[in-house]
Amino acid sequence: MSGFLARVFAALVGGLLFSQSAEFTQQYLQRLGGAADELQVVVERFEESARASDLAPEAAIERLKQNADDVAVRQGTDAEANRERFAELERRYRALVSTTPLFRPFEIVVDPDWSIAGRAAEDYRPAIPASGDGIMLALAGFLAGWACGGGAHGAVAMATRRRERRRPGGHDAKADIIE
C-alpha cells in the first residue's frame, strides 16, 4: 500500500506543479510583453530625437558617448543599453508567443529573463487551470509524478531488500551460488 501512496502523492504534486506552470507562464508572458512595450516607447522616443537631428540611432549614440560631458556619455550608454534590452525582451516575447501554449513553460526554462521571472514569482497567485494547455499540463504532470513515485518507491524497496540480504542471518543469493 505504501507504493500506491507514494505514487498518488507524487502524481498529485506533479499535477499541481505542471498545472501551475501554465498559470505562471501566462503571468510571465504578460510581464514580458508589458516590459517590452514600455521600453519600446523609450527606444522610439530616442530614435525620433536622433532622426530629428538627421542622425541614425547608432550615430546619435556614438556622438553622445564621445561627448566631453559625462551626463551625455551616460545618456549614450543608457540609450545603447535600452536598445539592447528592448531587442532582448522583444526576442523572448516573440519566441514565447510563437511557441505552442502547451510548450511555453519549457520555453521559459530554456531562455528565461530572470528579472521578469523573479518579479512574476513574487506576485504569483495560483489558479485552477481552465485552458486546454493548463489541463493537458496538469495531466502530464500527474502522469510524470505517477511514474516518478513508482520509480522512487521501487528504488527504496530495492535498497531495503539489499540491506536485508547483507544482514547477518539474511538471505544472500551470492552465498548460495558459492556453496
Side-chain angles (χ1 to χ4, degrees), residues 96-151:
L96 202 53
V97 168
S98 67
T99 301
T100 304
L102 188 62
F103 297 111
R104 285 181 183 164
F106 305 105
E107 178 70 29
I108 292 173
V109 169
V110 170
D111 185 26
D113 183 291
W114 289 110
S115 64
I116 291 177
R119 292 296 302 266
E122 287 173 15
D123 296 334
Y124 178 73
R125 298 293 175 263
I128 295 172
S131 62
D133 56 302
I135 293 168
M136 294 293 290
L137 282 166
L139 180 61
F142 183 86
L143 294 173
W146 184 267
C148 289

Side-chain angles (χ1 to χ4, degrees), residues 1-11 145-157:
M1 187 66 170
S2 64
F4 178 73
L5 290 177
R7 281 184 174 214
V8 168
F9 178 74
W146 184 267
C148 289
H153 173 68
V156 169

Side-chain angles (χ1 to χ4, degrees), residues 1-175:
M1 187 66 170
S2 64
F4 178 73
L5 290 177
R7 281 184 174 214
V8 168
F9 178 74
L12 291 175
V13 169
L16 179 68
L17 289 176
F18 272 55
S19 72
Q20 293 309 297
S21 69
E23 180 61 26
F24 180 82
T25 300
Q26 180 62 26
Q27 292 179 26
Y28 174 87
L29 181 61
Q30 289 172 349
R31 280 185 175 270
L32 187 65
D37 290 347
E38 283 304 307
L39 203 49
Q40 182 177 12
V41 171
V42 172
V43 168
E44 286 176 351
R45 189 177 302 138
F46 175 80
E47 290 177 353
E48 286 172 18
S49 294
R51 280 191 295 275
S53 298
D54 292 326
L55 292 171
E58 296 81 13
I61 288 171
E62 284 307 312
R63 181 183 282 184
L64 286 169
K65 288 171 64 176
Q66 293 174 2
N67 198 302
D69 185 1
D70 286 344
V71 173
V73 171
R74 276 189 239 125
Q75 293 229 331
T77 302
D78 290 346
E80 185 175 49
N82 286 340
R83 292 181 84 219
E84 289 170 4
R85 176 76 172 141
F86 170 67
E88 203 53 32
L89 290 171
E90 191 66 18
R91 180 190 61 76
R92 281 190 173 105
Y93 180 79
R94 295 286 167 223
L96 202 53
V97 168
S98 67
T99 301
T100 304
L102 188 62
F103 297 111
R104 285 181 183 164
F106 305 105
E107 178 70 29
I108 292 173
V109 169
V110 170
D111 185 26
D113 183 291
W114 289 110
S115 64
I116 291 177
R119 292 296 302 266
E122 287 173 15
D123 296 334
Y124 178 73
R125 298 293 175 263
I128 295 172
S131 62
D133 56 302
I135 293 168
M136 294 293 290
L137 282 166
L139 180 61
F142 183 86
L143 294 173
W146 184 267
C148 289
H153 173 68
V156 169
M158 186 184 310
T160 302
R161 284 191 300 270
R162 282 184 184 159
R163 271 193 306 271
E164 295 209 1
R165 276 188 253 151
R166 290 183 182 145
R167 276 193 212 144
H171 182 69
D172 189 357
K174 289 182 183 176

